[in-house]
Structures are given as C-alpha cells and as structure tokens.
C-alpha cells in the first residue's frame, strides 16, 4: 500500500491526521504532509478512513502500481 496526496486539492482540514496520525500530519498552515507513505497493513483501516472522510478527496491509496481513490464505502 502506498498513500498519495493531490496537493492541489488538499485544503489542510486535518481529517486525515485525526483518522491516521501515524501516517499524516497537517501543519497549522498548509497542506497535509505524509509521514509514512508506505504504512503497514495494520494501518490500512485508518488510512482508508482518512481517504474516505477527506472533504476534498485529495487522498488515495495505490496498490500494485495503480491508484485507488475509490476506497470501499466512498461511493
């Protein structure tokens, strides 16, 4: 699993940091920073929640070389 962010979409709301603080950090001003771009399987549920709840859909998960911004439950 690889976490990706579209910095053009990110508005720094911080939802991702709330869902997966070991993977994301959001400074007071500016877009998200990915702390761990390749988190382990134990973090997958938290990362999926961060992707799902991102208000601007700036986050995605890449598995096997392809981005998957359609995480289960986002449709």
């Amino acid at each position: 699993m690889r976490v990706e962010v579209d910095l053009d979409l990110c508005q720094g709301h911080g939802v991702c940091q709330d869902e997966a603080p070991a993977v994301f950090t959001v400074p007071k001003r500016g877009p998200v920073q990915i702390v761990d771009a390749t988190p382990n399987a134990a973090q997958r549920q938290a990362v999926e929640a961060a992707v799902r709840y991102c208000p601007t859909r700036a986050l995605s998960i890449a598995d096997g070389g392809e981005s998957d911004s359609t995480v289960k439950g986002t449709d």
Side-chain angles (χ1 to χ4, degrees):
M1 165 175 63
R2 187 177 73 246
V3 180
E4 298 177 342
V5 61
D6 183 336
L7 294 175
D8 291 331
L9 293 176
C10 181
Q11 295 178 359
H13 291 282
V15 175
C16 55
Q17 179 177 298
D18 293 342
E19 295 295 333
V23 179
F24 305 100
T25 187
V26 180
K28 286 192 179 222
R29 294 179 185 226
V32 64
Q33 297 171 355
I34 298 176
V35 177
D36 184 0
T38 56
N40 63 36
Q43 290 290 326
R44 185 166 190 104
Q45 187 174 6
V47 171
E48 286 179 350
V51 171
R52 181 179 309 115
Y53 298 124
C54 177
T56 62
R57 303 245 182 206
L59 302 173
S60 61
I61 297 172
D63 283 319
E66 294 183 26
S67 285
D68 181 13
S69 59
T70 314
V71 175
K72 185 177 179 181
T74 60
D75 291 327

